[in-house]
Structures are given as structure tokens and as C-alpha cells.
Amino acid sequence: MSKIKRQSGIELLRIIAMIQIIFLHAYQYGLLHDASTAAGDIDGILVTFVWSFCRTPVDVFIMISGYFMITSQFDIKKTIRRGGKIYGAMIFYSIVLSIIFFISDPSLININSVISAFTPLLSRTWYFLSNYLIILLLSPFLNKMLASLSKKHYLYFMGIVFVAVSLWSTLAEIDGVSNVISVNKILDPYMGKSLGGFLLMYIIGGYLRLFVKQKPLESRKLNFKYLGIFAALCVLDFVLAIIFPQYKPAFGMFNNPLVLAESAMLVLFFRDFNFSSKFVNTVAGTTLGIYAIHENPYVRDWLWRVANFSNKHLYDTLIYIPIVIITVLFIFAACCVIELLRLKLFEIIGNKISSHKTSLQGTHYTK
């Protein structure tokens, strides 16, 4: 069976989304936000403005999954194999990275840390990968239901989930409004980082595939209208936070209606890229590994102690801008190489296992 040709435009979007994620972590864990704000209003506003353009990567990753998987055939075995590959990477990095840090700092070793190392899904070592894996395992059933709906019924269903998971929870975060509107004991959206938020993103991705018209890939042209709408929504989200302090808690939430719309615009824009690049496809295939490596709790604590932006003298000039860019790209590249090595290792092991099974079957038939 021939492999489905991967769309390099969408794969490029995966790469951009992962670079955005690393920037978001630099903003938070690398103290870029705190230090730039302390340095002065201009630096703080500039960094936060860029941050407002980087709120979509989580939504984008899940929407892409919904976009491509919505038309998949109902195949539980294939889904389990895909889930096994993702969980295999989670187990590998959780155990290996834990061992490395346990050796370097034995004080980290206790019963809880050891159990967590072997149970990254249940221990929520990576909230994104845990939710992503659950959505993947649910996808055959979601696809079967969603693909059977008419456009009208799909919109109705998506609208209910949108109001509950996005609009309602966003309003509940706005100061003043939250005194009247609450999701307590109803939802636990946690800024869109929960399973409910991921479900909505998946549903939106499926809708984009089924009902937003598109030409055959070879005849598509880039529609910069989508990119313009994306930029306008990012600016609107930023301006609302600047003008209305009450809005700041909802600013950039992953399940914020504005961020969901921004993400959909990016998917629609990049799906029209008509090019094929083995390099882009290969690098994009490492993005989940890049996330797992640099967002591992032990790596994260160490990484952002080394690569932090707390030095106030950085902000005396605009030199911090290229430094941040170089740091983010270096982290991406280093983790990409590590993930490529892991994939190669798993490929070699998989080939040996397959070869051994074939050899055993051949021996059985000759007896």
C-alpha cells in the first residue's frame, strides 16, 4: 500500500507552530515577559505584541489532526498503532531524561518521581501529549459520528461545544463578568488546555476539511485574505487587553474565540501551499519529539535557567531580539536532531524485531 503524500504546506505550519511554542516557553519560563516589562513599557509591549501572534500553536496542531483524520476509515488497529508510537516516545523520553537527571542530581529521586517517570500519561508529564493521545484514540469514533452529519447538523453540534468550551469559559475569565458567569463545577477548561478544549479544536479542524471548499492541491493559490484575517484578529486580541484591563485574564487563552479563529485562518492559509519538500516533511515529523524533550519538567527547569533573559542589560538596546530568535531556533534544532536519532533507533529496533519474526515464521514452515 502506497503512503499518503504529505502536504508540505501543512508540514511547514507544524514547524512554525513548534517554534512558536518554544517562544511561548521563553516568554514564560525564560523570564522574557517579566524582564522586558521591568526594562520599560516599550520593551514589555513589544514582546507581548509578538506573544499575541504566537497563541495558536496548540490549536493548530489539533485542528490539523482533525483536518486530516476526519476522512479516515474506521480502523481501530491502525489507531492503536499510531497511539503506541506516540506513547512509546513519551515513555522513552520520560524514562531516559529522568535517569539522566537522577544521575546528575540524586536528590530528585523519590517514590513519586520514579513512578511518574514510568507513567507519563497518567502523571500528566506533558499535558499536550496526554490530551493529544486521548483525542487520537477517540478519533475513529469522533470521525464516524462527525462525517455522518450534514453541514447544518455539524454546525449545530460544533456550536454547542463552542459555547460551552470557548465562549462561556472565556467570559468567565473576564474580570467583572466572572462575578456573574461561572464554569465552576460545570467545566474545567483551564485556558483551553483541557480535553474539552482539544475536542473543540478537533471538531473545527474536521469542519474545515469537510465544508470549507478547496480546489485540488495542484491548482490552489495562496489566499492572503486568511493571513490578513489572522493578523487582524491577533491585533484585536492585543488591543482589547491593552484598552480593557478586565480582559487580560482571557487574553490569548487557547479556547478564546479569537485564538480559535486565528488558528483556523492559519490552517486554511497553509493548506493552499502547493510544494513538496522532503526536508520540511522530515523536520515536521520531529515536532512532537521536540515538544517532549524541551518541555520535560527536568529539562524545562534546567533549560530556562541556562537560557533565560533576566539580565536587565539585554534590554539596553534591541540586541535581545536576535538573541531570543537565535536561542529559540537553537533549541528547536538541537531537539530536532535528538528526535531524529530516537526515530532512527526505533526504526532499527523495529526492523530487527520484524526480521526476527520473519525468521521464526520461516523456521516454523520448514518443520
Side-chain angles (χ1 to χ4, degrees):
M1 183 180 294
S2 60
K3 291 185 177 180
I4 298 175
K5 186 177 180 181
R6 296 169 68 182
Q7 295 184 21
S8 294
I10 293 293
E11 300 306 304
L12 178 61
L13 179 57
R14 291 186 203 269
I15 294 173
I16 294 171
M18 186 50 59
I19 291 173
Q20 288 179 318
I21 286 176
I22 298 174
F23 172 79
L24 293 178
H25 293 159
Y27 180 89
Q28 180 180 357
Y29 306 126
L31 305 178
L32 180 59
H33 170 252
D34 293 344
S36 62
T37 301
D41 291 339
I42 294 178
D43 292 309
I45 290 174
L46 174 61
V47 169
T48 301
F49 181 71
V50 174
W51 178 87
S52 70
F53 277 75
C54 296
R55 298 305 296 159
T56 58
V58 168
D59 303 49
V60 161
F61 270 111
I62 305 305
M63 285 185 191
I64 288 174
S65 297
Y67 182 88
F68 283 111
M69 293 168 61
I70 191 69
T71 56
S72 300
Q73 292 183 343
F74 191 89
D75 191 335
I76 298 295
K77 290 183 178 180
K78 182 179 179 181
T79 300
I80 292 175
R81 287 196 298 270
R82 292 184 63 185
K85 289 182 179 180
I86 294 173
Y87 194 65
M90 293 171 67
I91 283 287
F92 176 84
Y93 281 123
S94 184
I95 294 175
V96 170
L97 293 174
S98 293
I99 290 174
I100 291 173
F101 280 88
F102 288 168
I103 293 173
S104 63
D105 184 3
S107 68
L108 295 172
I109 303 175
N110 57 62
I111 186 63
N112 291 334
S113 62
V114 172
I115 294 175
S116 294
F118 286 89
T119 57
L121 175 65
L122 301 179
S123 301
R124 207 193 74 95
T125 301
W126 299 279
Y127 89 88
F128 174 83
L129 291 178
S130 294
N131 281 332
Y132 180 79
L133 182 56
I134 294 171
I135 288 291
L136 173 63
L137 295 176
L138 290 173
S139 64
F141 308 97
L142 293 172
N143 298 338
K144 194 174 184 64
M145 180 193 72
L146 293 171
S148 68
L149 299 176
S150 65
K151 182 177 182 179
K152 178 181 177 180
H153 291 159
Y154 199 116
L155 281 171
Y156 181 76
F157 176 69
M158 185 167 64
I160 294 173
V161 180
F162 169 77
V163 170
V165 176
S166 176
L167 184 59
W168 185 356
S169 58
T170 300
L171 291 174
E173 288 294 325
I174 298 176
D175 293 339
V177 178
S178 59
N179 296 331
V180 179
I181 296 177
S182 173
V183 294
N184 290 341
K185 298 184 180 180
I186 303 295
L187 298 167
D188 182 21
Y190 194 65
M191 299 183 69
K193 298 180 179 181
S194 68
L195 186 60
F198 278 47
L199 176 62
L200 175 58
M201 297 165 198
Y202 188 92
I203 293 170
I204 293 173
Y207 180 86
L208 298 179
R209 176 67 178 273
L210 294 176
F211 300 112
V212 179
K213 292 183 179 180
Q214 57 183 320
K215 296 179 180 179
L217 184 60
E218 59 274 7
S219 60
R220 294 181 201 170
K221 294 182 180 180
L222 293 180
N223 190 338
F224 286 92
K225 174 185 70 176
Y226 295 130
L227 200 59
I229 295 173
F230 161 77
L233 291 171
C234 291
V235 172
L236 175 60
D237 201 21
F238 175 78
V239 170
L240 286 174
I242 295 296
I243 296 178
F244 303 105
Q246 303 92 332
Y247 178 76
K248 282 188 176 179
F251 176 33
M253 288 169 47
F254 294 150
N255 58 334
N256 185 314
L258 293 177
V259 176
L260 288 169
E262 293 165 15
S263 306
M265 292 303 104
L266 285 181
V267 173
L268 291 175
F269 177 73
F270 278 89
R271 75 172 182 176
D272 289 338
F273 271 82
N274 181 19
F275 77 102
S276 179
S277 169
K278 184 178 180 180
F279 175 78
V280 168
N281 294 349
T282 299
V283 173
T286 69
T287 50
L288 290 182
I290 293 172
Y291 173 83
I293 297 167
H294 91 278
E295 186 58 3
N296 173 273
Y298 298 122
V299 175
R300 180 178 62 216
D301 292 344
W302 168 81
L303 176 63
W304 298 115
R305 282 200 306 268
V306 175
N308 73 78
F309 306 96
S310 60
N311 187 337
K312 63 180 181 180
H313 296 298
L314 273 178
Y315 306 93
D316 293 341
T317 65
L318 294 178
I319 189 65
Y320 71 90
I321 295 176
I323 290 176
V324 170
I325 294 173
I326 291 171
T327 301
V328 168
L329 292 180
F330 179 80
I331 293 171
F332 179 94
C335 293
C336 176
V337 171
I338 294 172
E339 172 64 356
L340 285 172
L341 292 174
R342 183 197 69 82
L343 290 172
K344 188 64 177 178
L345 174 64
F346 275 38
E347 181 185 348
I348 292 172
I349 294 173
N351 289 339
K352 286 187 177 295
I353 292 174
S354 298
S355 177
H356 182 65
K357 286 183 178 179
T358 302
S359 177
L360 288 177
Q361 289 173 353
T363 302
H364 174 75
Y365 288 132
T366 58
K367 288 183 179 181

XYZ file of all heavy atoms in Angstrom, residues 77-90 133 136-137:
133
model
N -7.237 -0.844 14.870
C -5.871 -1.361 14.964
C -4.857 -0.301 14.532
O -3.813 -0.122 15.163
C -5.715 -2.615 14.114
C -6.465 -3.824 14.664
C -6.214 -5.059 13.822
C -6.928 -6.269 14.398
N -6.686 -7.495 13.576
N -5.159 0.401 13.436
C -4.263 1.458 12.956
C -4.155 2.576 13.981
O -3.067 3.111 14.225
C -4.767 2.001 11.626
C -3.865 3.077 11.016
C -4.410 3.551 9.674
C -3.522 4.645 9.089
N -4.054 5.130 7.785
N -5.278 2.927 14.587
C -5.282 3.980 15.606
C -4.443 3.570 16.812
O -3.677 4.372 17.345
C -6.725 4.277 16.058
O -7.498 4.706 14.932
C -6.746 5.373 17.118
N -4.584 2.330 17.236
C -3.804 1.841 18.381
C -2.311 1.850 18.053
O -1.477 2.196 18.892
C -4.277 0.427 18.789
C -5.701 0.506 19.377
C -3.316 -0.192 19.803
C -6.303 -0.841 19.696
N -1.961 1.477 16.818
C -0.541 1.504 16.420
C 0.000 2.934 16.466
O 1.105 3.169 16.937
C -0.368 0.914 15.017
C -0.522 -0.587 14.941
C 0.036 -1.135 13.640
N -0.670 -0.609 12.490
C -1.749 -1.181 11.953
N -2.240 -2.294 12.471
N -2.334 -0.641 10.883
N -0.785 3.879 15.956
C -0.361 5.284 15.988
C -0.239 5.772 17.423
O 0.716 6.462 17.778
C -1.365 6.159 15.228
C -1.386 5.927 13.740
C -2.322 6.888 13.047
N -1.887 8.278 13.216
C -2.571 9.323 12.786
N -3.745 9.147 12.186
N -2.114 10.529 12.959
N -1.211 5.403 18.243
C -1.149 5.781 19.654
C 0.049 5.157 20.350
O 0.690 5.785 21.194
N 0.351 3.901 19.966
C 1.507 3.226 20.559
C 2.807 3.918 20.227
O 3.717 3.994 21.076
N 2.928 4.453 19.014
C 4.142 5.184 18.640
C 4.302 6.449 19.472
O 5.406 6.777 19.918
C 4.095 5.531 17.152
C 4.273 4.331 16.227
C 4.257 4.757 14.766
C 4.465 3.565 13.847
N 4.442 3.960 12.405
N 3.197 7.155 19.677
C 3.260 8.380 20.475
C 3.590 8.048 21.927
O 4.456 8.684 22.543
C 1.925 9.151 20.392
C 1.710 9.664 18.969
C 1.899 10.316 21.383
C 0.356 10.286 18.734
N 2.913 7.014 22.466
C 3.188 6.669 23.861
C 4.587 6.081 24.013
O 5.233 6.259 25.054
C 2.146 5.682 24.388
C 2.190 5.574 25.896
C 1.871 6.667 26.689
C 2.575 4.388 26.525
C 1.936 6.586 28.071
C 2.633 4.300 27.906
C 2.307 5.397 28.676
O 2.383 5.320 30.043
N 5.068 5.406 22.976
C 6.436 4.902 23.023
C 7.438 6.027 23.163
O 8.413 5.924 23.926
N 7.206 7.121 22.422
C 8.086 8.289 22.540
C 7.970 8.914 23.919
O 8.976 9.329 24.515
C 7.726 9.315 21.467
N 6.750 8.974 24.455
C 6.550 9.540 25.790
C 7.298 8.731 26.839
O 8.011 9.297 27.688
C 5.050 9.588 26.116
C 4.246 10.564 25.272
S 2.446 10.413 25.502
C 2.258 10.975 27.197
N -3.050 12.260 22.808
C -3.157 10.806 22.712
C -4.599 10.356 22.942
O -5.106 9.467 22.233
C -2.219 10.140 23.723
C -2.179 8.605 23.725
C -1.832 8.065 22.349
C -1.176 8.106 24.759
N -6.575 11.150 19.898
C -6.226 10.206 18.838
C -6.968 8.887 19.013
O -7.526 8.341 18.055
C -4.715 9.958 18.843
C -4.206 8.868 17.895
C -4.496 9.239 16.447
C -2.716 8.631 18.102
N -7.017 8.375 20.238
C -7.687 7.104 20.493
C -9.208 7.221 20.302
O -9.874 6.237 19.940
C -7.366 6.620 21.913
C -5.893 6.273 22.173
C -5.678 5.913 23.629
C -5.430 5.140 21.271
